[in-house]
């Protein structure tokens, strides 16, 4: 009301003075334009409220996650459980009666952990809780060697071949507690997990143990992908729990020349065929332009893959249900992709980008949910400056629901969708928008890649708030871009 009173007062002054009629008409236009914008934003607020109401009061995400975790379980690429996950996703999406559901064939790695993961201190038989890193070779029976401690890959040069050759390297670089963003703390340490074995092998190491990638002090080792740069010199690699990493350090202080015995029988097999699962609601006015939303269907072979990335899978499926339940027909085609093989190869993401490029398809935006099912905080945004400004202007509409972080990012939106824009060979549109869903990440690495990543550790309301947030941002981008 104050807005109108001000405009009327200024118009009266202009008319009474018979001067500056142009400014007067500008004020009239400004008032009308302001009225239109206000009405639009009010309509948007009503629509967003409906999305959240449906996600919270009649949501299906939590029960879908229960089924995925408890009936399918852990689902590493190439496993029978991964095949079951593909069938689960396809059948669930077919039951939703969306416009199209289909599968995209891809070839994925096939690695199996085996049934032997043991580590102990030789001198007193103290057991150490370890888990093989994904892709590791076996120990070929028992492997016995002394321990040398490295504070990350960069510490290997300091130690040199003289101190490393013939030993097991314990990579013990922890998360820096001063880094507020837990994903940045993870990024600063994860190189020792992925590349540590190959780098240590260059100095003559016979195996590596890696402190688990978590801030939490417990006895759950966290697995994850690793890779070899030298096919002729592969050494076993395993994660050790934070509790037992510290235990081993304390024993080394007492006896620096102690030996550790490792035994693992993991193995790699030829690639297997699997699938991305895809579902679409066709756009009403611009059906040939696509908005992609997804998460990854595969998980590691311990735990149930609840936060990583069952949450992202059910967020994406719930988006389609919310659109249909709301009676909203999107302007653009909304496509949900349940990607396969994010964890140890990204074959699904790269295969999807290649398929999109070969189809000469126009992609407006892609969003990935792969940061867990915790309370939503906002989105990372890879976009042009003008695109970012437009999306950031939605903050006021989403702040009431806790989404206040609209962070411009050069990194992209997620491993599965980044090839659409950031891979030089696969990029289809360097100006397309990539969004990454950002929940509160302070507890995410408590569960990431660990046996504790189970359904019971996902909070129902937090998961559903995430579904509502993704539904709201997709609605706004579909409407205004």
């Amino acid at each position: 009301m104050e807005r109108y009173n001000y405009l009327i007062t200024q118009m009266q002054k202009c008319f009474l003075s018979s001067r500056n009629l142009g400014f007067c008409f500008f004020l009239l236009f400004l008032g009308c334009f302001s009225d239109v914008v206000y009405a639009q934003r009010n309509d948007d607020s009503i629509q967003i409220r409906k999305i959240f109401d449906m996600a919270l009061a009649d949501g299906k995400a939590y029960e879908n996650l229960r089924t995925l975790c408890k009936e399918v379980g852990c689902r590493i690429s190439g496993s029978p459980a991964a095949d079951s996950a593909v069938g689960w996703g396809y059948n669930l999406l077919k039951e939703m009666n969306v416009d199209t559901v289909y599968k995209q064939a891809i070839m994925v790695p096939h690695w199996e952990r085996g049934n032997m993961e043991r580590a102990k201190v030789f001198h007193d038989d103290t057991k150490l809780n370890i888990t093989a890193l994904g892709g590791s070779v076996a120990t070929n029976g028992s492997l016995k060697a002394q321990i040398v401690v490295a504070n990350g890959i960069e510490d290997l040069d300091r130690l040199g071949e003289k101190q490393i050759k013939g030993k097991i390297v314990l990579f013990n670089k922890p998360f820096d507690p001063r880094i507020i963003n837990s994903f940045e703390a993870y990024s600063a340490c994860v190189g020792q997990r992925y590349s540590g074995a190959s780098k240590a092998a260059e100095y003559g190491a016979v195996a590596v143990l890696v402190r688990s990638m978590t801030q939490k002090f417990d006895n759950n080792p966290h697995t994850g992908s690793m890779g070899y740069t030298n096919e002729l010199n592969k050494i076993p690699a395993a994660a050790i729990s934070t509790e037992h990493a510290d235990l081993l350090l304390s024993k080394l202080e007492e006896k620096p020349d102690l030996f550790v015995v490792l035994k693992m029988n993991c193995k790699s097999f030829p690639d297997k065929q699997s699938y991305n699962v895809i579902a679409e609601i066709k756009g009403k006015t611009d059906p040939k332009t696509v908005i992609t939303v997804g998460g990854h269907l595969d998980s590691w072979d311990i735990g149930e893959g609840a936060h990583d990335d069952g949450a992202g899978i059910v967020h994406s499926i719930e988006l389609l249900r919310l659109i249909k339940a709301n009676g909203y027909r999107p302007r653009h085609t909304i496509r949900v992709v349940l990607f396969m093989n994010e964890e140890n190869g990204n074959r699904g993401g790269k295969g999807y980008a290649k398929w999109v490029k070969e189809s000469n398809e126009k992609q407006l935006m892609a969003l990935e949910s792969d940061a867990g099912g915790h309370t939503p905080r906002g989105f990372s945004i890879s976009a042009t400056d003008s695109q970012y400004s437009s999306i950031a202007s939605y903050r006021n509409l989403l702040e009431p629901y806790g989404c206040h972080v609209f962070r411009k990012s050069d990194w992209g939106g997620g491993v599965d969708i980044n090839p659409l824009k950031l891979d030089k060979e696969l990029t289809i549109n360097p100006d397309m928008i990539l969004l990454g869903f950002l929940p509160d990440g302070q507890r995410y690495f408590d569960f990431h890649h660990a046996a504790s990543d189970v359904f019971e550790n996902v909070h129902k309301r937090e998961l559903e708030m995430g579904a509502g947030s993704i539904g709201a941002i997709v609605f706004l981008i579909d409407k205004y871009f």
Side-chain angles (χ1 to χ4, degrees):
M1 195 64 184
E2 291 179 1
R3 175 175 82 251
Y4 295 115
N5 289 338
Y6 170 79
L7 291 170
I8 291 169
T9 300
Q10 296 302 314
M11 289 170 64
Q12 285 174 340
K13 289 180 180 179
C14 289
F15 279 121
L16 288 172
S17 64
S18 298
R19 293 179 301 179
N20 206 0
L21 289 177
F23 181 63
C24 182
F25 283 116
F26 170 74
L27 288 172
L28 182 62
F29 166 77
L30 186 63
C32 294
F33 177 75
S34 178
D35 206 32
V36 170
V37 171
Y38 178 79
Q40 285 180 333
R41 286 304 165 104
N42 188 52
D43 288 344
D44 292 340
S45 293
I46 293 170
Q47 186 66 262
I48 289 169
R49 181 71 212 202
K50 287 175 64 178
I51 290 170
F52 273 93
D53 284 351
M54 286 187 289
L56 296 170
D58 190 33
K60 306 300 180 187
Y62 194 64
E63 287 307 312
N64 286 338
L65 182 64
R66 183 196 303 273
T67 305
L68 177 61
C69 290
K70 297 304 179 185
E71 295 186 12
V72 177
C74 58
R75 42 202 182 274
I76 190 171
S77 296
S79 67
D83 295 339
S84 297
V86 168
W88 170 87
Y90 181 82
N91 292 333
L92 178 58
L93 290 165
K94 288 288 284 186
E95 291 171 4
M96 293 173 64
N97 293 317
V98 294
D99 294 329
T100 314
V101 182
Y102 51 103
K103 295 185 285 188
Q104 178 200 2
I106 53 171
M107 297 300 291
V108 300
H110 179 197
W111 174 86
E112 294 184 6
R113 179 172 304 279
N115 60 3
M116 184 68 67
E117 291 182 310
R118 294 179 185 171
K120 67 177 182 178
V121 177
F122 178 73
H123 300 282
D124 59 13
D125 286 340
T126 298
K127 293 182 179 179
L128 301 172
N129 203 359
I130 66 164
T131 186
L133 296 179
S136 174
V137 295
T139 56
N140 295 319
S142 293
L143 187 158
K144 176 185 171 185
Q146 290 180 309
I147 295 288
V148 60
V149 180
N151 186 32
I153 288 181
E154 57 274 17
D155 202 27
L156 295 175
D157 291 337
R158 177 187 64 82
L159 293 167
E161 182 177 343
K162 185 176 181 180
Q163 295 188 62
I164 295 174
K165 189 173 183 180
K167 296 179 181 178
I168 298 169
V169 173
L170 170 63
F171 285 107
N172 192 54
K173 185 177 182 179
F175 281 23
D176 186 341
R178 298 167 297 181
I179 299 176
I180 303 302
N181 185 319
S182 60
F183 285 86
E184 292 179 4
Y186 171 79
S187 296
C189 294
V190 73
Q192 63 188 344
R193 189 195 74 198
Y194 188 81
S195 305
S198 285
K199 187 68 175 176
E202 293 177 11
Y203 292 92
V206 296
V208 299
L209 293 174
V210 182
R211 185 184 186 92
S212 286
M213 298 290 106
T214 177
Q215 303 105 318
K216 192 171 185 181
F217 186 73
D218 64 12
N219 206 15
N220 285 320
H222 295 233
T223 190
S225 62
M226 55 85 63
Y228 295 107
T229 57
N230 187 336
E231 290 296 314
L232 299 177
N233 194 13
K234 297 181 178 181
I235 61 175
I240 183 171
S241 72
T242 52
E243 183 179 313
H244 279 186
D246 283 3
L247 174 64
L248 184 54
L249 289 172
S250 67
K251 287 184 173 292
L252 284 168
E253 289 182 359
E254 298 173 4
K255 190 175 180 59
D257 61 346
L258 66 75
F259 284 77
V260 165
V261 180
L262 300 180
K263 194 170 185 179
M264 305 189 305
N265 62 351
C266 39
K267 185 177 180 181
S268 292
F269 297 87
D271 289 355
K272 288 183 64 176
Q273 182 169 292
S274 190
Y275 302 89
N276 291 332
V277 183
I278 302 173
E280 298 171 346
I281 293 178
K282 296 294 183 183
K284 183 178 181 180
T285 59
D286 194 2
K288 293 185 178 180
T289 300
V290 177
I291 291 175
T292 294
V293 177
H296 64 86
L297 196 54
D298 61 305
S299 76
W300 280 107
D301 56 331
I302 56 178
E304 296 170 351
H307 279 291
D308 186 21
D309 185 30
I313 289 295
V314 299
H315 279 159
S316 303
I317 293 171
E318 185 75 346
L319 170 68
L320 295 182
R321 192 192 71 82
L322 291 173
I323 290 172
K324 286 182 65 67
N326 204 15
Y328 172 73
R329 193 73 189 187
R331 293 176 60 228
H332 311 91
T333 292
I334 307 296
R335 176 184 295 157
V336 160
V337 183
L338 313 184
F339 293 98
M340 179 57 71
N341 184 231
E342 186 271 351
E343 292 292 4
N344 60 337
N346 194 25
R347 303 280 184 86
K350 291 179 179 178
Y352 176 69
K354 184 174 184 289
W355 174 70
V356 166
K357 185 172 184 177
E358 290 173 349
S359 303
N360 198 28
E361 186 176 80
K362 182 180 179 182
Q363 291 258 335
L364 171 63
M365 186 271 281
L367 181 153
E368 183 160 10
S369 172
D370 186 19
H374 296 295
T375 302
R377 291 288 181 253
F379 302 91
S380 64
I381 305 165
S382 175
T384 65
D385 289 341
S386 61
Q387 290 170 337
Y388 170 75
S389 295
S390 296
I391 296 170
S393 72
Y394 306 150
R395 183 185 287 108
N396 289 341
L397 290 165
L398 291 176
E399 273 186 334
Y401 306 95
C403 283
H404 59 276
V405 177
F406 285 70
R407 180 188 303 149
K408 199 169 192 302
S409 169
D410 295 327
W411 177 80
V415 171
D416 292 299
I417 63 173
N418 283 351
L420 291 165
K421 179 176 181 178
L422 303 182
D423 189 302
K424 293 181 179 179
E425 295 181 1
L426 300 175
T427 295
I428 55 166
N429 178 9
D431 291 331
M432 75 174 293
I433 301 164
L434 297 182
L435 293 186
F437 173 60
L438 297 179
D440 189 310
Q442 296 304 322
R443 293 187 295 124
Y444 178 69
F445 290 99
D446 290 4
F447 312 112
H448 183 248
H449 297 176
S452 56
D453 187 12
V454 295
F455 172 75
E456 290 80 4
N457 283 327
V458 177
H459 191 279
K460 180 177 185 291
R461 184 170 180 82
E462 292 179 348
L463 182 73
E464 292 170 345
M465 286 291 290
S469 301
I470 291 169
I473 200 72
V474 171
F475 159 73
L476 291 167
I477 290 175
D478 177 64
K479 181 176 179 179
Y480 289 112
F481 277 82

